[in-house]
Amino acid sequence: MVILITGASHTGKTLLAQRMLERYKYPYLSIDHLKMGLIRSGNTDLTPEDDDALTEYLWPIVREMIKTAIENQQNLIVEGCYVPFDWRKDFNEQYLSSIRFVCLAMTDAFIDAHIDEINHHASDVETRLCESASTPEGLKSDNHYFINGFTQSGEQVTLIDRDYEETIESLLD
């Protein structure tokens, strides 16, 4: 089984992946780690701010890693925001039957009510070295982008609306 976790910034993708690793003992691949390895090693001229270009650059690599894990009957959690909205077109039914897709996004109301908590927990699992506090407007825009893109592609988006922990816990079952 491959669990593919994506979604907007600050929604807890890495936290969910970490909890799944602890519960299921599946290894996980952080697409952000792959991104930074390629950038820091000089294997690309892209920067961490080149989101769309990074998706185009990273997805073919991640896609083939997912296929390899499935072909070898290995469990894997893949986590990161660089998943295209139309990701399913890259897999036939044999692969798709072995992929669980999770997209996390927050509602505007949740962001408004919890902006201080969101920023406080931004580095709970991984340290964000150069990111300043996120604004409600920036977070809302990012979340709308993921909600609209994945919904229009026919995907279910897990909305964080009231109780964050309850939402995350529901995804572990």
Side-chain angles (χ1 to χ4, degrees), residues 98-116:
S98 296
I99 300 172
R100 176 181 172 203
F101 177 78
V102 177
C103 179
L104 296 175
M106 297 179 282
T107 64
D108 288 354
F110 184 85
I111 293 168
D112 287 336
H114 300 280
I115 187 63
D116 291 337

Side-chain angles (χ1 to χ4, degrees), residues 27-145:
Y28 86 81
L29 167 71
S30 167
I31 302 173
D32 280 343
H33 290 179
L34 177 61
K35 168 190 76 177
M36 292 311 298
L38 291 164
I39 290 171
R40 288 179 171 175
S41 67
N43 282 294
T44 181
D45 291 328
L46 297 171
T47 71
E49 289 78 35
D50 297 325
D51 286 338
D52 290 338
L54 281 164
T55 299
E56 290 178 27
Y57 182 69
L58 295 170
W59 180 245
I61 299 165
V62 172
R63 175 191 70 217
E64 297 308 314
M65 292 173 77
I66 290 170
K67 287 179 181 178
T68 301
I70 292 169
E71 290 162 358
N72 287 291
Q73 300 177 342
Q74 296 170 323
N75 298 316
L76 180 64
I77 301 163
V78 178
E79 169 271 319
C81 62
Y82 303 105
V83 176
F85 299 135
D86 62 350
W87 68 273
R88 286 185 186 269
K89 72 172 178 43
D90 294 326
F91 300 96
N92 64 31
E93 282 305 315
Q94 175 190 354
Y95 291 111
L96 289 171
S97 67
S98 296
I99 300 172
R100 176 181 172 203
F101 177 78
V102 177
C103 179
L104 296 175
M106 297 179 282
T107 64
D108 288 354
F110 184 85
I111 293 168
D112 287 336
H114 300 280
I115 187 63
D116 291 337
E117 292 171 66
I118 293 166
N119 282 317
H120 175 75
H121 291 286
S123 294
D124 278 359
V125 178
E126 294 180 332
T127 303
R128 296 175 187 261
L129 296 177
C130 58
E131 191 170 326
S132 60
S134 295
T135 65
E137 296 75 25
L139 286 174
K140 288 176 186 178
S141 175
D142 192 35
N143 279 271
H144 289 194
Y145 174 77

